[in-house]
DNA sequence: GAGGCCATGTAAACTGTTACATGATTTG
DNA sequence: CAAATCATGTAACAGTTTACATGGCCTC
């Protein structure tokens, strides 16, 4: 996933590896972390394969390496962005995509969000069945903590669906969160 | 993390690798997946290192391998279960722990949940600051999708905190989710 | 001039996936 | 008797973390 994040981050400006790390931390640090050990070798590889253009520029006594996305990189990035949002991919991948959704034309963007919503709904239905089965048991208390993780999952899916609907309609984001919490 | 999940799953009965895979799928499949390629080699390793006891039993024309946790395994598992719930670990790790929380005495369990709650609160406060900064900008619409992932993060943290409080008090789990959703 | 940040990398280890390979048992 | 499921594994690859290593620039 880091490869696509790098491609997405280097569209508006040529950035150094260090810059990219900071952009990742500030932009999607809530749900994704990158280490230099993964970042630098990947930058080298992406440049070698033609997805990034490198330009070395002297800065004082130092050679800085600036990376920027190439046409080939743009194409690969766009393909990732518009690829199916099924639940085989993890939530972080979906969030990273949505982070870059302003790069997508409105119709494809909403098709993506609709697909994600539908997949989430289908999965939620399955969890509801599970929940019903467990609720019918007589010794539920014995499984309180085990069940609590199922309910956590249900809640997150409910949020996912709400979120999809919310941002499809471009509604005010402050209405998505609970106000006066804490 | 899989090592601890295996240890936790093999306490109540001796299980085959195949059994463990199914237990994982049914129990925590919502947020964690294990492949045979990671499971079988790890079972072998955990047995060699003394965390699991193997017993081979013939079944028809077949030798089945049953794994069960050892005293050494119990100790390692308990250590993991009672280790700090800071936000360096990912959410899946926390959920897996809570899944096994009936193995922990009530006082340590609640200490763990309180720590998780406090860490989540501290992180949420940081995100509130970020949100405030962004809300003050005039060209917010340009960053709608980027911002949407921040609001998603805030919402999840709010849920986390609600969840911690909920299960600390052992409240009815059905009250944690939104009813009549969909 | 010291401490903090900027900047680039490598090496070993760890963790896990995917695809392959094989064969027994059960069930309709 | 075919298909599904049970059952155990390996090999190649992929992705990532952690710790190490180095040194320049900026600000107080």
């Amino acid at each position: 996933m880091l490869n696509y994040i790098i491609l997405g981050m280097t569209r508006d400006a040529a950035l150094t590896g260090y810059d990219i790390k900071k952009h990742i931390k500030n932009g999607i640090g809530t749900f994704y972390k990158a280490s230099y050990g993964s970042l630098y070798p990947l930058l080298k590889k992406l440049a070698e394969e033609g997805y990034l253009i490198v330009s070395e520029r002297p800065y004082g006594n130092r050679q800085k390496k600036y990376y920027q996305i190439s046409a080939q990189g743009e194409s690969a990035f766009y393909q990732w962005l518009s690829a199916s949002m099924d639940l085989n991919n993890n939530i972080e991948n979906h969030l990273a995509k949505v982070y870059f959704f302003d790069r997508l034309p409105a119709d494809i963007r909403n098709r993506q969000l609709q697909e994600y919503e539908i997949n989430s709904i289908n999965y939620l239905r399955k969890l509801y069945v599970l929940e019903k089965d467990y609720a019918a048991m007589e010794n539920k208390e014995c499984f309180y903590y085990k069940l609590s993780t199922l309910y956590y999952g249900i809640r997150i899916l409910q949020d996912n669906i709400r979120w999809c609907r919310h941002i499809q309609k471009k509604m005010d984001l402050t209405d998505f969160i609970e106000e006066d919490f804490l």
Side-chain angles (χ1 to χ4, degrees), chain A:
Chain A
M1 194 169 82
L2 180 54
N3 48 353
Y4 297 113
I5 293 170
I6 291 171
L7 294 179
M9 294 280 179
T10 55
R11 197 201 54 165
D12 296 326
L15 300 174
T16 66
Y18 194 85
D19 290 335
I20 293 170
K21 176 88 151 54
K22 284 184 81 173
H23 271 69
I24 290 174
K25 196 184 174 188
N26 295 331
I28 55 175
T30 333
F31 58 86
Y32 188 82
K33 276 140 195 66
S35 65
Y36 289 123
S38 60
L39 187 57
Y40 280 111
L42 190 51
L43 283 171
K44 199 181 162 187
K45 193 185 152 222
L46 289 173
E48 279 167 5
E49 292 171 350
Y51 297 100
L52 289 177
I53 297 158
V54 204
S55 57
E56 289 194 50
R57 292 211 280 268
Y59 182 82
N61 216 331
R62 193 160 50 182
Q63 279 294 105
K64 284 214 230 179
K65 285 189 185 175
Y66 288 89
Y67 296 90
Q68 192 151 21
I69 195 166
S70 67
Q72 182 189 329
E74 293 259 25
S75 152
F77 178 72
Y78 190 85
Q79 221 172 302
W80 170 69
L81 212 54
S82 45
S84 176
M85 289 185 78
D86 56 55
L87 300 186
N88 292 328
N89 293 295
N90 54 28
I91 178 74
E92 287 78 22
N93 194 290
H94 297 314
L95 286 169
K97 274 192 187 180
V98 174
Y99 182 81
F100 292 116
F101 259 15
D102 52 356
R103 312 279 178 88
L104 229 40
D107 55 335
I108 298 183
R109 189 163 62 205
N110 282 318
R111 187 197 67 195
Q112 292 288 76
L113 288 171
Q114 264 164 47
E115 193 200 354
Y116 188 39
E117 184 190 332
I118 289 167
N119 290 334
S120 298
I121 289 172
N122 289 334
Y123 194 48
L124 179 56
R125 283 193 213 283
K126 286 186 193 168
L127 293 192
Y128 277 156
V129 172
L130 260 183
E131 187 230 338
K132 229 175 116 186
D133 292 348
Y134 281 116
M137 295 192 322
E138 72 273 13
N139 53 343
K140 276 185 296 180
E141 320 77 46
C142 305
F143 304 106
Y144 184 82
Y145 295 103
K146 297 207 185 331
L147 274 178
S148 78
T149 63
L150 171 61
Y151 281 87
Y152 183 90
I154 289 173
R155 174 76 178 191
I156 297 302
L157 275 172
Q158 290 177 337
D159 281 346
N160 271 224
I161 296 161
R162 275 189 60 245
W163 189 64
C164 285
R165 291 174 178 165
H166 209 92
I167 62 178
Q168 271 178 78
K169 292 181 223 141
K170 278 222 174 192
M171 289 165 67
D172 187 344
L173 289 168
T174 55
D175 294 336
F176 177 68
I177 60 173
E178 284 182 42
E179 54 185 341
D180 303 323
F181 193 85
L182 289 183

